[in-house]
Amino acid sequence: MTRIAVVEGDGIGHEVIPVAQKVLAVLHPEYEYFPVEVGYGRWEQTGCPCADRDIAELKTADAVLFGAVTTPPMKDYQSVILRIRKALDLYANLRPVKGDGFDIMIVRENTEGLYSGIEEIGPDRATTLRVVTRAGTERIVRAAIRLAQQRQGKLTIGHKANVLKSDVFFRDICMAEAKKAGVSYNEKFIDALGLDVLQHPQAYDVIVTTNIFGDILSDVASYLVGGLGLVPSANIGDRYALFEPVHGSAPDIAGKNRANPIAALRSAAMLVSHLGDPDGAVRIESAIQQVLASGTRTRDLGGSAGTREFGDAVLRVLGTQG
């Protein structure tokens, strides 16, 4: 039996993930769905945001549907999502941004870089070690190359090699792997790339970059499709996979039925596609588009529908698809 771990997390995760789970259950009632509780809320209750047994539970799943977690700016608080990514070795973060006339896949290295977790805080200085390894770079660029070969065959390498020696290292390995694979590629400084993606999104296919640059670039690119409430992501490793909306826990609107569930729904679509049901992913996206076309929109898109109401509308459309 296919087992799906469902992690709502914190904030609006408690609202958008139930919507996505209901849609998954319509498409695949045969899946077994089981909850795993992690996050800041768990820490407030128990003093531990993510225990070893939680990681062990996640490893029993065929895929993880993940909401959002709050990471407070506390010296001794460990980021839950960073821990999970490392524990499951989810080294490839795939963040698609698709709209009218463009289809971009941002491939972000997910386990090292400035999110290495190697940090030190003292009275007069704080240090974060930016780790870029050959093994980490080779496997992320190879993942990007495979995607490019399945798509338009164009790879863009985003870096800051004019300033950072670690990015010279990253860029050179990426270029060597692209040449070896015979894939068409170009390279751009990440700041210029951020601007050009907004001005000429149709020029891009697959973009590969380091951890924090990929995080920022995908958030910026979400402007092209209406904001963070609409963009999904996949965290893929050689054995495990986790799917989550790009947005955060949004505590300012949590519990108000205002969150846009589209990013969570699209993350669910990526999940079913990963598990071998690309038609299910198409059905989810088609239902989203039909609901939007009918005029049902959440507040961030200029409408008045709540999280639950939008989700119910998607479920109704899926019901009519047979």
Side-chain angles (χ1 to χ4, degrees):
M1 176 180 288
T2 300
R3 303 184 76 241
I4 309 298
V6 180
V7 182
E8 293 182 6
D10 300 309
I12 62 172
H14 294 300
E15 299 170 76
V16 298
I17 291 304
V19 170
Q21 184 181 345
K22 287 178 182 177
V23 166
L24 283 177
V26 167
L27 295 179
H28 289 284
E30 76 280 10
Y31 287 177
E32 177 188 347
Y33 302 91
F34 65 97
V36 179
E37 184 185 358
V38 300
Y40 183 60
R42 167 79 173 277
W43 178 84
E44 289 182 309
Q45 295 171 3
T46 68
C48 178
C50 182
D52 290 344
R53 66 178 179 274
D54 300 318
I55 298 294
E57 272 198 278
L58 294 176
K59 287 183 176 181
T60 69
D62 294 284
V64 180
L65 179 64
F66 192 93
V69 286
T70 297
T71 304
M74 298 163 52
K75 184 168 79 169
D76 298 324
Y77 190 94
Q78 182 185 25
S79 168
V80 169
I81 189 60
L82 291 189
R83 183 183 179 197
I84 292 172
R85 286 170 180 165
K86 287 190 174 184
L88 276 59
D89 199 24
L90 304 173
Y91 62 86
N93 189 200
L94 311 182
R95 297 188 166 192
V97 183
K98 185 175 182 180
D100 186 18
F102 62 89
D103 184 356
I104 304 168
M105 178 65 78
I106 297 172
V107 181
R108 166 197 178 200
E109 200 292 316
N110 214 24
T111 61
E112 49 184 43
L114 266 181
Y115 293 169
S116 67
I118 305 172
E119 300 186 279
E120 181 180 304
I121 299 178
D124 301 308
R125 188 179 78 168
T127 304
T128 299
L129 184 63
R130 186 179 201 259
V131 178
V132 180
T133 68
R134 177 172 294 277
T137 303
E138 286 179 345
R139 69 180 183 174
I140 194 62
V141 72
R142 287 170 184 168
I145 286 168
R146 288 193 296 271
L147 283 168
Q149 289 170 332
Q150 296 164 14
R151 292 163 53 98
Q152 300 176 38
K154 298 189 298 181
L155 180 70
T156 299
I157 303 163
H159 61 81
K160 196 64 177 168
N162 57 327
V163 176
L164 300 171
K165 293 293 186 286
S166 54
D167 264 23
V168 174
F169 182 78
F170 177 84
R171 177 202 63 189
D172 289 352
I173 292 172
C174 288
M175 290 171 60
E177 290 294 323
K179 288 177 182 176
K180 189 189 305 182
V183 170
S184 174
Y185 73 91
N186 66 341
E187 40 139 345
K188 283 186 178 291
F189 296 141
I190 196 68
D191 43 358
L193 178 58
L195 176 61
D196 202 52
V197 162
L198 294 182
Q199 292 180 322
H200 308 103
Q202 70 282 353
Y204 294 93
D205 180 20
V206 176
I207 300 172
V208 64
T209 189
T210 54
N211 204 326
I212 195 167
F213 289 162
D215 192 3
I216 295 169
L217 182 65
S218 56
D219 284 6
V220 168
S222 72
Y223 170 81
L224 294 166
V225 294
L228 290 174
L230 285 82
V231 283
S233 74
N235 299 263
I236 307 293
D238 292 332
R239 184 174 178 183
Y240 304 106
L242 180 151
F243 302 83
E244 60 173 333
V246 170
H247 62 67
S249 60
D252 57 322
I253 62 169
K256 298 179 180 179
N257 195 36
R258 288 180 55 185
N260 189 332
I262 291 178
L265 289 166
R266 286 175 170 162
S267 297
M270 293 182 79
L271 184 153
V272 296
S273 183
H274 176 77
L275 292 178
D277 181 18
D279 291 340
V282 171
R283 287 183 64 188
I284 293 173
E285 183 60 33
S286 174
I288 291 169
Q289 294 301 328
Q290 287 186 54
V291 171
L292 291 173
S294 74
T296 301
R297 297 170 182 264
T298 48
R299 293 189 186 185
D300 57 312
L301 299 179
S304 60
T307 310
R308 292 187 298 273
E309 289 73 23
F310 190 93
D312 289 345
V314 170
L315 287 169
R316 284 195 296 272
V317 171
L318 284 174
T320 65
Q321 291 177 352

